[in-house]
Amino acid sequence: MNERTSNAADPASAVTMDAVRFHEYGEPAAVLRLDRAPVPGPGPGRIRVAVRACGLNPADWALCRGLFAAELPRGIGLEVSGTVDAVGEGVTGVAVGDAVLGATDYAVERSAGAAHFAVLKHWAPLPEGLDPVRAAALPMAVETSHRSLDHLGVAAGHTLLVHGAGTMVGFAAVQIALARGARVIAAAGTTYAGDLRAMGAAVTPYGDGMAGRVEEAAGGPVDLVLDTAPAGGAMPALVAVADGDPRRVLTVSDPEGAAAAGARTSFDKDAPRALHYDVLGEFAQRAAEGRFTVPVARTFPLGEWRTALDISQSGHAHGKLVLLPAALRGHLPA
Ligand SMILES: NC(=O)c1ccc[n+]([C@@H]2O[C@H](COP(=O)([O-])OP(=O)(O)OC[C@H]3O[C@@H](n4cnc5c(N)ncnc54)[C@H](OP(=O)(O)O)[C@@H]3O)[C@@H](O)[C@H]2O)c1
């Protein structure tokens, strides 16, 4: 479509685009499809971007299964980079043509980031030197890890276990905790073990015997635990390694385990309500300078979303999976 023909003031624009959406709730492979959808207009306080790259997350599949359920159809794709093509009422500091990265307004819109155009609720300028593909991998991992580390109170001098440090949230958390001056033990698979060690973390495999290996590496129990592992079942071991105190353990991925053990979750009543997208610009700048990274495993044209879904659902994505809705089709990150 010709983006200049779209009317930002008219949310019910008749101009359509490609978007990966679902029209009923269910398993993502069954309900998702590449659709023609109206190009959304940005409401007050929002911007619209022509999407360059869209990071996929386990949360996308949870949306299909009914997380944050709302009127259907709806789209997937929570984080993007792109070029601003329309600015909503009351928005200042950003203009049509600016390159940005940010988080989509998935709860309101009928399409999200896996589309040619997306409405963003949170954004930051794309710094010079940051590849748009790498930029699209940042928002969710940065926001979740930064918010979770603050919720746990991680600071200089703490010994922190990041369980699932090979997930993108965990990988980001290790970097942020080390930058705060914490000592970090990373329980991770082999994919990023070398990178985690190079950053300064002590690395041990997850799975059987993890608690003993962590205590050996730490010289005793750890102060705090952040659990980002996509598979549950480790909570008793995580509480044990936190000297038996479940309140020193925060999970972003195992609410059932947390409820059984009395551990904390990012959905607790006392959890910070505000999302931490205000730090996105700072971390994008760090990424542009090579001081922070969320690795990209693979990119896909929008039409190959199903391959990305299969890899993600294997539980071993080994980095961020990124859709390229248009201009960067075929681009591979260096
Ligand atoms: N509450 C929130 O606000 C929030 C926000 C974002 C994400 N999350 C949740 O946080 C979790 C991580 O998300 P993500 O996007 O960072 O995941 P991800 O990058 O897709 O995680 C995939 C990686 O997990 C590793 N893994 C697989 N099984 C594991 C296990 N049993 N223990 C430890 N690591 C294992 C695999 O690495 P190896 O093959 O190398 O082991 C794989 O590459 C997900 O459960 C997600 O739903 C929650």
mmCIF file of all heavy atoms in Angstrom, residues 146-185:
data_model
loop_
_atom_site.group_PDB
_atom_site.id
_atom_site.type_symbol
_atom_site.label_atom_id
_atom_site.label_comp_id
_atom_site.label_asym_id
_atom_site.label_seq_id
_atom_site.Cartn_x
_atom_site.Cartn_y
_atom_site.Cartn_z
ATOM 1 N N HIS A 146 14.374 -5.570 33.406
ATOM 2 C CA HIS A 146 14.633 -4.393 34.239
ATOM 3 C C HIS A 146 13.587 -4.277 35.350
ATOM 4 O O HIS A 146 13.918 -4.058 36.523
ATOM 5 C CB HIS A 146 14.623 -3.135 33.361
ATOM 6 C CG HIS A 146 15.213 -1.935 34.028
ATOM 7 N ND1 HIS A 146 14.491 -1.136 34.886
ATOM 8 C CD2 HIS A 146 16.471 -1.423 34.003
ATOM 9 C CE1 HIS A 146 15.274 -0.167 35.329
ATOM 10 N NE2 HIS A 146 16.478 -0.318 34.815
ATOM 11 N N ARG A 147 12.330 -4.467 34.981
ATOM 12 C CA ARG A 147 11.241 -4.393 35.973
ATOM 13 C C ARG A 147 11.402 -5.491 37.028
ATOM 14 O O ARG A 147 11.219 -5.260 38.228
ATOM 15 C CB ARG A 147 9.898 -4.516 35.246
ATOM 16 C CG ARG A 147 8.680 -4.599 36.139
ATOM 17 C CD ARG A 147 7.386 -4.388 35.351
ATOM 18 N NE ARG A 147 7.330 -5.077 34.085
ATOM 19 C CZ ARG A 147 6.935 -6.347 33.916
ATOM 20 N NH1 ARG A 147 6.573 -7.063 34.956
ATOM 21 N NH2 ARG A 147 6.909 -6.895 32.713
ATOM 22 N N SER A 148 11.759 -6.697 36.593
ATOM 23 C CA SER A 148 11.874 -7.825 37.524
ATOM 24 C C SER A 148 13.050 -7.644 38.479
ATOM 25 O O SER A 148 12.940 -7.959 39.675
ATOM 26 C CB SER A 148 12.051 -9.125 36.734
ATOM 27 O OG SER A 148 10.966 -9.302 35.852
ATOM 28 N N LEU A 149 14.164 -7.140 37.968
ATOM 29 C CA LEU A 149 15.329 -6.917 38.842
ATOM 30 C C LEU A 149 15.035 -5.824 39.862
ATOM 31 O O LEU A 149 15.451 -5.919 41.024
ATOM 32 C CB LEU A 149 16.566 -6.570 38.002
ATOM 33 C CG LEU A 149 17.100 -7.714 37.138
ATOM 34 C CD1 LEU A 149 18.200 -7.212 36.200
ATOM 35 C CD2 LEU A 149 17.627 -8.871 37.987
ATOM 36 N N ASP A 150 14.301 -4.803 39.461
ATOM 37 C CA ASP A 150 13.897 -3.768 40.422
ATOM 38 C C ASP A 150 12.944 -4.340 41.469
ATOM 39 O O ASP A 150 13.051 -4.040 42.657
ATOM 40 C CB ASP A 150 13.213 -2.593 39.702
ATOM 41 C CG ASP A 150 14.220 -1.581 39.195
ATOM 42 O OD1 ASP A 150 15.436 -1.881 39.220
ATOM 43 O OD2 ASP A 150 13.798 -0.487 38.760
ATOM 44 N N HIS A 151 11.996 -5.142 41.009
ATOM 45 C CA HIS A 151 11.024 -5.777 41.916
ATOM 46 C C HIS A 151 11.759 -6.622 42.961
ATOM 47 O O HIS A 151 11.425 -6.600 44.152
ATOM 48 C CB HIS A 151 10.064 -6.624 41.072
ATOM 49 C CG HIS A 151 8.909 -7.200 41.810
ATOM 50 N ND1 HIS A 151 8.034 -8.076 41.231
ATOM 51 C CD2 HIS A 151 8.473 -7.058 43.079
ATOM 52 C CE1 HIS A 151 7.118 -8.431 42.103
ATOM 53 N NE2 HIS A 151 7.361 -7.837 43.240
ATOM 54 N N LEU A 152 12.784 -7.344 42.533
ATOM 55 C CA LEU A 152 13.587 -8.165 43.454
ATOM 56 C C LEU A 152 14.516 -7.304 44.310
ATOM 57 O O LEU A 152 14.987 -7.750 45.350
ATOM 58 C CB LEU A 152 14.455 -9.139 42.650
ATOM 59 C CG LEU A 152 13.966 -10.557 42.435
ATOM 60 C CD1 LEU A 152 14.959 -11.301 41.539
ATOM 61 C CD2 LEU A 152 13.795 -11.313 43.742
ATOM 62 N N GLY A 153 14.808 -6.108 43.855
ATOM 63 C CA GLY A 153 15.723 -5.223 44.599
ATOM 64 C C GLY A 153 17.184 -5.560 44.362
ATOM 65 O O GLY A 153 18.016 -5.380 45.259
ATOM 66 N N VAL A 154 17.524 -6.034 43.167
ATOM 67 C CA VAL A 154 18.915 -6.421 42.878
ATOM 68 C C VAL A 154 19.809 -5.180 42.831
ATOM 69 O O VAL A 154 19.515 -4.217 42.114
ATOM 70 C CB VAL A 154 18.992 -7.182 41.539
ATOM 71 C CG1 VAL A 154 20.445 -7.457 41.161
ATOM 72 C CG2 VAL A 154 18.207 -8.484 41.635
ATOM 73 N N ALA A 155 20.891 -5.224 43.604
ATOM 74 C CA ALA A 155 21.803 -4.087 43.682
ATOM 75 C C ALA A 155 23.236 -4.597 43.836
ATOM 76 O O ALA A 155 23.466 -5.801 43.976
ATOM 77 C CB ALA A 155 21.427 -3.210 44.876
ATOM 78 N N ALA A 156 24.178 -3.652 43.812
ATOM 79 C CA ALA A 156 25.600 -3.995 43.954
ATOM 80 C C ALA A 156 25.803 -4.813 45.226
ATOM 81 O O ALA A 156 25.227 -4.515 46.276
ATOM 82 C CB ALA A 156 26.425 -2.716 44.015
ATOM 83 N N GLY A 157 26.619 -5.857 45.105
ATOM 84 C CA GLY A 157 26.948 -6.669 46.280
ATOM 85 C C GLY A 157 26.070 -7.898 46.440
ATOM 86 O O GLY A 157 26.440 -8.827 47.151
ATOM 87 N N HIS A 158 24.897 -7.917 45.800
ATOM 88 C CA HIS A 158 24.046 -9.102 45.877
ATOM 89 C C HIS A 158 24.629 -10.234 45.035
ATOM 90 O O HIS A 158 25.252 -9.986 44.000
ATOM 91 C CB HIS A 158 22.635 -8.808 45.333
ATOM 92 C CG HIS A 158 21.776 -8.056 46.283
ATOM 93 N ND1 HIS A 158 20.943 -7.030 45.896
ATOM 94 C CD2 HIS A 158 21.595 -8.185 47.624
ATOM 95 C CE1 HIS A 158 20.304 -6.559 46.949
ATOM 96 N NE2 HIS A 158 20.684 -7.240 48.015
ATOM 97 N N THR A 159 24.374 -11.474 45.481
ATOM 98 C CA THR A 159 24.617 -12.626 44.610
ATOM 99 C C THR A 159 23.263 -13.072 44.080
ATOM 100 O O THR A 159 22.351 -13.380 44.852
ATOM 101 C CB THR A 159 25.298 -13.773 45.377
ATOM 102 O OG1 THR A 159 26.572 -13.312 45.838
ATOM 103 C CG2 THR A 159 25.513 -14.981 44.465
ATOM 104 N N LEU A 160 23.139 -13.052 42.750
ATOM 105 C CA LEU A 160 21.865 -13.333 42.080
ATOM 106 C C LEU A 160 22.002 -14.580 41.221
ATOM 107 O O LEU A 160 22.951 -14.692 40.436
ATOM 108 C CB LEU A 160 21.490 -12.145 41.175
ATOM 109 C CG LEU A 160 20.316 -12.369 40.208
ATOM 110 C CD1 LEU A 160 18.982 -12.324 40.956
ATOM 111 C CD2 LEU A 160 20.322 -11.321 39.086
ATOM 112 N N LEU A 161 21.048 -15.496 41.347
ATOM 113 C CA LEU A 161 20.938 -16.596 40.385
ATOM 114 C C LEU A 161 19.923 -16.198 39.317
ATOM 115 O O LEU A 161 18.778 -15.852 39.652
ATOM 116 C CB LEU A 161 20.463 -17.881 41.087
ATOM 117 C CG LEU A 161 20.010 -19.007 40.145
ATOM 118 C CD1 LEU A 161 21.148 -19.507 39.256
ATOM 119 C CD2 LEU A 161 19.395 -20.170 40.940
ATOM 120 N N VAL A 162 20.315 -16.224 38.061
ATOM 121 C CA VAL A 162 19.345 -16.092 36.962
ATOM 122 C C VAL A 162 19.144 -17.496 36.405
ATOM 123 O O VAL A 162 20.052 -18.071 35.786
ATOM 124 C CB VAL A 162 19.826 -15.126 35.859
ATOM 125 C CG1 VAL A 162 18.801 -15.086 34.723
ATOM 126 C CG2 VAL A 162 20.044 -13.730 36.433
ATOM 127 N N HIS A 163 17.959 -18.034 36.674
ATOM 128 C CA HIS A 163 17.659 -19.394 36.232
ATOM 129 C C HIS A 163 16.959 -19.306 34.879
ATOM 130 O O HIS A 163 15.865 -18.748 34.774
ATOM 131 C CB HIS A 163 16.751 -20.085 37.267
ATOM 132 C CG HIS A 163 16.390 -21.489 36.886
ATOM 133 N ND1 HIS A 163 15.103 -21.861 36.563
ATOM 134 C CD2 HIS A 163 17.157 -22.597 36.753
ATOM 135 C CE1 HIS A 163 15.098 -23.150 36.271
ATOM 136 N NE2 HIS A 163 16.327 -23.615 36.379
ATOM 137 N N GLY A 164 17.603 -19.835 33.842
ATOM 138 C CA GLY A 164 17.080 -19.670 32.481
ATOM 139 C C GLY A 164 17.777 -18.503 31.806
ATOM 140 O O GLY A 164 17.153 -17.715 31.087
ATOM 141 N N ALA A 165 19.086 -18.388 32.018
ATOM 142 C CA ALA A 165 19.835 -17.237 31.483
ATOM 143 C C ALA A 165 20.036 -17.317 29.976
ATOM 144 O O ALA A 165 20.503 -16.364 29.362
ATOM 145 C CB ALA A 165 21.183 -17.121 32.190
ATOM 146 N N GLY A 166 19.655 -18.456 29.369
ATOM 147 C CA GLY A 166 19.703 -18.558 27.909
ATOM 148 C C GLY A 166 18.412 -18.116 27.250
ATOM 149 O O GLY A 166 18.310 -18.101 26.020
ATOM 150 N N THR A 167 17.395 -17.765 28.044
ATOM 151 C CA THR A 167 16.211 -17.105 27.472
ATOM 152 C C THR A 167 16.584 -15.645 27.226
ATOM 153 O O THR A 167 17.543 -15.131 27.818
ATOM 154 C CB THR A 167 15.011 -17.152 28.434
ATOM 155 O OG1 THR A 167 15.283 -16.290 29.550
ATOM 156 C CG2 THR A 167 14.738 -18.573 28.935
ATOM 157 N N MET A 168 15.831 -14.973 26.397
ATOM 158 C CA MET A 168 16.201 -13.589 26.101
ATOM 159 C C MET A 168 15.941 -12.662 27.287
ATOM 160 O O MET A 168 16.696 -11.711 27.506
ATOM 161 C CB MET A 168 15.485 -13.122 24.827
ATOM 162 C CG MET A 168 15.975 -13.881 23.595
ATOM 163 S SD MET A 168 17.794 -13.781 23.347
ATOM 164 C CE MET A 168 18.419 -15.236 24.196
ATOM 165 N N VAL A 169 14.897 -12.956 28.082
ATOM 166 C CA VAL A 169 14.689 -12.156 29.297
ATOM 167 C C VAL A 169 15.838 -12.414 30.270
ATOM 168 O O VAL A 169 16.398 -11.485 30.869
ATOM 169 C CB VAL A 169 13.327 -12.491 29.950
ATOM 170 C CG1 VAL A 169 13.182 -11.774 31.286
ATOM 171 C CG2 VAL A 169 12.179 -12.098 29.023
ATOM 172 N N GLY A 170 16.214 -13.681 30.425
ATOM 173 C CA GLY A 170 17.302 -14.020 31.335
ATOM 174 C C GLY A 170 18.638 -13.454 30.878
ATOM 175 O O GLY A 170 19.423 -12.948 31.692
ATOM 176 N N PHE A 171 18.902 -13.520 29.593
ATOM 177 C CA PHE A 171 20.167 -13.018 29.035
ATOM 178 C C PHE A 171 20.288 -11.510 29.274
ATOM 179 O O PHE A 171 21.352 -11.001 29.621
ATOM 180 C CB PHE A 171 20.198 -13.340 27.543
ATOM 181 C CG PHE A 171 21.541 -13.232 26.893
ATOM 182 C CD1 PHE A 171 22.488 -14.229 27.044
ATOM 183 C CD2 PHE A 171 21.849 -12.139 26.104
ATOM 184 C CE1 PHE A 171 23.735 -14.140 26.422
ATOM 185 C CE2 PHE A 171 23.082 -12.037 25.479
ATOM 186 C CZ PHE A 171 24.035 -13.038 25.641
ATOM 187 N N ALA A 172 19.169 -10.805 29.096
ATOM 188 C CA ALA A 172 19.161 -9.360 29.376
ATOM 189 C C ALA A 172 19.352 -9.110 30.866
ATOM 190 O O ALA A 172 20.097 -8.206 31.275
ATOM 191 C CB ALA A 172 17.849 -8.739 28.888
ATOM 192 N N ALA A 173 18.704 -9.924 31.703
ATOM 193 C CA ALA A 173 18.789 -9.733 33.159
ATOM 194 C C ALA A 173 20.220 -9.909 33.658
ATOM 195 O O ALA A 173 20.673 -9.158 34.537
ATOM 196 C CB ALA A 173 17.854 -10.716 33.866
ATOM 197 N N VAL A 174 20.934 -10.884 33.099
ATOM 198 C CA VAL A 174 22.326 -11.094 33.521
ATOM 199 C C VAL A 174 23.138 -9.822 33.260
ATOM 200 O O VAL A 174 23.886 -9.347 34.124
ATOM 201 C CB VAL A 174 22.946 -12.297 32.778
ATOM 202 C CG1 VAL A 174 24.460 -12.354 33.003
ATOM 203 C CG2 VAL A 174 22.281 -13.599 33.220
ATOM 204 N N GLN A 175 22.978 -9.252 32.063
ATOM 205 C CA GLN A 175 23.758 -8.054 31.710
ATOM 206 C C GLN A 175 23.421 -6.875 32.619
ATOM 207 O O GLN A 175 24.302 -6.127 33.054
ATOM 208 C CB GLN A 175 23.489 -7.667 30.256
ATOM 209 C CG GLN A 175 23.974 -8.706 29.263
ATOM 210 C CD GLN A 175 23.455 -8.423 27.867
ATOM 211 O OE1 GLN A 175 23.951 -7.536 27.182
ATOM 212 N NE2 GLN A 175 22.454 -9.168 27.431
ATOM 213 N N ILE A 176 22.121 -6.702 32.917
ATOM 214 C CA ILE A 176 21.708 -5.560 33.740
ATOM 215 C C ILE A 176 22.195 -5.748 35.180
ATOM 216 O O ILE A 176 22.701 -4.806 35.808
ATOM 217 C CB ILE A 176 20.179 -5.377 33.675
ATOM 218 C CG1 ILE A 176 19.750 -5.044 32.244
ATOM 219 C CG2 ILE A 176 19.725 -4.283 34.639
ATOM 220 C CD1 ILE A 176 18.239 -5.050 32.022
ATOM 221 N N ALA A 177 22.068 -6.974 35.692
ATOM 222 C CA ALA A 177 22.494 -7.227 37.077
ATOM 223 C C ALA A 177 24.007 -7.039 37.220
ATOM 224 O O ALA A 177 24.482 -6.449 38.202
ATOM 225 C CB ALA A 177 22.081 -8.640 37.492
ATOM 226 N N LEU A 178 24.773 -7.525 36.240
ATOM 227 C CA LEU A 178 26.228 -7.334 36.293
ATOM 228 C C LEU A 178 26.570 -5.843 36.244
ATOM 229 O O LEU A 178 27.445 -5.373 36.978
ATOM 230 C CB LEU A 178 26.900 -8.070 35.128
ATOM 231 C CG LEU A 178 26.967 -9.598 35.245
ATOM 232 C CD1 LEU A 178 27.390 -10.214 33.912
ATOM 233 C CD2 LEU A 178 27.920 -10.042 36.360
ATOM 234 N N ALA A 179 25.846 -5.096 35.397
ATOM 235 C CA ALA A 179 26.113 -3.657 35.292
ATOM 236 C C ALA A 179 25.785 -2.937 36.606
ATOM 237 O O ALA A 179 26.378 -1.903 36.916
ATOM 238 C CB ALA A 179 25.308 -3.053 34.146
ATOM 239 N N ARG A 180 24.856 -3.515 37.388
ATOM 240 C CA ARG A 180 24.530 -2.906 38.689
ATOM 241 C C ARG A 180 25.563 -3.251 39.756
ATOM 242 O O ARG A 180 25.474 -2.776 40.884
ATOM 243 C CB ARG A 180 23.157 -3.401 39.169
ATOM 244 C CG ARG A 180 22.004 -2.824 38.406
ATOM 245 C CD ARG A 180 20.668 -3.281 38.987
ATOM 246 N NE ARG A 180 19.575 -2.805 38.145
ATOM 247 C CZ ARG A 180 18.305 -2.928 38.454
ATOM 248 N NH1 ARG A 180 17.935 -3.501 39.601
ATOM 249 N NH2 ARG A 180 17.368 -2.468 37.634
ATOM 250 N N GLY A 181 26.473 -4.173 39.427
ATOM 251 C CA GLY A 181 27.493 -4.559 40.408
ATOM 252 C C GLY A 181 27.137 -5.807 41.181
ATOM 253 O O GLY A 181 27.794 -6.131 42.178
ATOM 254 N N ALA A 182 26.105 -6.534 40.745
ATOM 255 C CA ALA A 182 25.771 -7.797 41.405
ATOM 256 C C ALA A 182 26.718 -8.893 40.901
ATOM 257 O O ALA A 182 27.293 -8.789 39.821
ATOM 258 C CB ALA A 182 24.329 -8.176 41.100
ATOM 259 N N ARG A 183 26.840 -9.929 41.731
ATOM 260 C CA ARG A 183 27.555 -11.138 41.291
ATOM 261 C C ARG A 183 26.482 -12.072 40.747
ATOM 262 O O ARG A 183 25.450 -12.280 41.406
ATOM 263 C CB ARG A 183 28.223 -11.733 42.520
ATOM 264 C CG ARG A 183 28.948 -13.008 42.311
ATOM 265 C CD ARG A 183 29.537 -13.389 43.685
ATOM 266 N NE ARG A 183 30.098 -14.712 43.667
ATOM 267 C CZ ARG A 183 29.996 -15.565 44.668
ATOM 268 N NH1 ARG A 183 29.337 -15.222 45.773
ATOM 269 N NH2 ARG A 183 30.551 -16.750 44.591
ATOM 270 N N VAL A 184 26.694 -12.618 39.554
ATOM 271 C CA VAL A 184 25.619 -13.366 38.885
ATOM 272 C C VAL A 184 26.042 -14.807 38.626
ATOM 273 O O VAL A 184 27.104 -15.064 38.053
ATOM 274 C CB VAL A 184 25.209 -12.698 37.552
ATOM 275 C CG1 VAL A 184 24.126 -13.519 36.859
ATOM 276 C CG2 VAL A 184 24.712 -11.271 37.795
ATOM 277 N N ILE A 185 25.184 -15.738 39.069
ATOM 278 C CA ILE A 185 25.308 -17.145 38.686
ATOM 279 C C ILE A 185 24.215 -17.367 37.634
ATOM 280 O O ILE A 185 23.044 -17.039 37.876
ATOM 281 C CB ILE A 185 25.036 -18.099 39.870
ATOM 282 C CG1 ILE A 185 25.680 -17.597 41.166
ATOM 283 C CG2 ILE A 185 25.448 -19.530 39.508
ATOM 284 C CD1 ILE A 185 27.122 -17.827 41.345
#
